[in-house]
Amino acid sequence: MKIFVDTANVDDIREAASWGIVDGVTTNPSLVAKEKRNFREVVLEICDIVDGPISAEIVSVKADEMVEDAKKVASWHPNIVIKVPFIPEGVKAIPRLAAEGIKTNVTLCFSANQALLAAKAGGTFCSIFLGRLDDAGHDGMEVVREAVQIYRNYGYATKVLAASIRHPLHVVEAAKAGADIATIPFKVLQQMFQHPLTEIGLKRFLDDWAKVPKSTG
Ligand code: G3P
């Protein structure tokens, strides 16, 4: 499973990238707004840090404008993937973008039907917001499982991207469900490293090693 970082914070992205386990980055308008920085500048800085798909979202809601805006944003860097909201106008825009060689991340997907249509339209990625589904009392992971199965049944090239991840167990479950990618907030990535037995075990090894007589040669 590929791991993307779900943030627009370049310090966090730099740190995560230094661990060598980051395949890409996803941003959205809310994550960019948190940084209080120019959109183009922040996206280009992310492209400099991570050599992989970098999702940047357009905010237009009419297909023609979406295509124009997407072309502009995609021209900034070859690794940019355009996040298109799953609305009929977005679905209309996706094949037009694909024809221009522009990759898309169909976002705000909450159902298997939406995932099916995102694939039929030719989306490169389909982002299933599983945490927001869980928040609403639904089983978000079930939609990830359904999308994986539907794409496999028909050989769709669209990748299932497990998004809106809230905790490390979501990552494990997404991997078990066969999601192609999990986009993970920095805090959750940090949590994935942690296990009390690792810390206790390392401390014991280091303490014991300190007792071993050291040769001077
Ligand atoms: O980037 C899309 C998605 O991961 C947003 O997550 O936590 O705002 O539901 P969240």
Side-chain angles (χ1 to χ4, degrees):
M1 184 176 69
K2 290 203 186 322
I3 288 183
F4 290 0
V5 201
D6 196 22
T7 180
N9 183 284
V10 291
D11 294 331
D12 289 351
I13 293 168
R14 210 169 268 118
E15 172 81 9
S18 76
W19 301 329
I21 44 87
V22 172
D23 301 298
V25 178
T26 51
T27 67
N28 63 37
S30 307
L31 293 171
V32 172
K34 256 202 234 170
E35 300 307 309
K36 299 182 172 35
R37 292 183 57 189
N38 174 272
F39 180 41
R40 184 174 191 269
E41 186 188 288
V42 78
V43 168
L44 286 178
E45 194 170 340
I46 295 170
C47 291
D48 271 349
I49 303 169
V50 174
D51 184 18
I54 309 299
S55 288
E57 191 155 341
I58 46 160
V59 289
S60 30
V61 289
K62 291 282 175 209
D64 287 344
E65 277 173 55
M66 284 171 150
V67 171
E68 278 323 296
D69 292 350
K71 278 196 215 165
K72 206 181 299 161
V73 174
S75 75
W76 297 343
H77 194 282
N79 285 351
I80 292 176
V81 173
I82 302 298
K83 257 184 158 177
V84 177
F86 185 89
I87 53 174
E89 290 292 307
V91 171
K92 264 196 240 171
I94 292 163
R96 290 170 60 185
L97 294 173
E100 301 269 349
I102 296 172
K103 290 188 173 146
T104 51
N105 177 350
V106 190
T107 189
L108 292 168
C109 290
F110 294 93
S111 75
N113 275 320
Q114 292 178 327
L116 173 59
L117 295 180
K120 286 215 57 107
T124 315
F125 303 97
C126 173
S127 282
I128 296 166
F129 277 33
L130 66 99
R132 291 193 196 182
L133 278 163
D134 287 1
D135 292 345
H138 300 287
D139 181 356
M141 205 56 73
E142 183 53 24
V143 180
V144 173
R145 280 189 284 270
E146 289 172 331
V148 168
Q149 189 186 334
I150 291 166
Y151 290 4
R152 264 192 210 142
N153 286 353
Y154 296 99
Y156 285 120
T158 307
K159 304 284 181 211
V160 176
L161 199 162
S164 183
I165 280 181
R166 301 266 190 268
H167 50 72
L169 200 51
H170 270 157
V171 182
V172 174
E173 290 299 324
K176 282 160 64 182
D180 298 288
I181 304 125
T183 189
I184 308 175
F186 182 68
K187 183 176 152 254
V188 177
L189 265 183
Q190 287 177 310
Q191 289 172 324
M192 287 168 66
F193 278 88
Q194 288 159 16
H195 197 288
L197 290 177
T198 305
E199 283 153 38
I200 291 165
L202 179 63
K203 185 177 179 328
R204 193 177 300 158
F205 283 155
L206 294 179
D207 290 348
D208 288 344
W209 188 249
K211 296 173 203 154
V212 175
K214 310 290 184 305
S215 76
T216 50

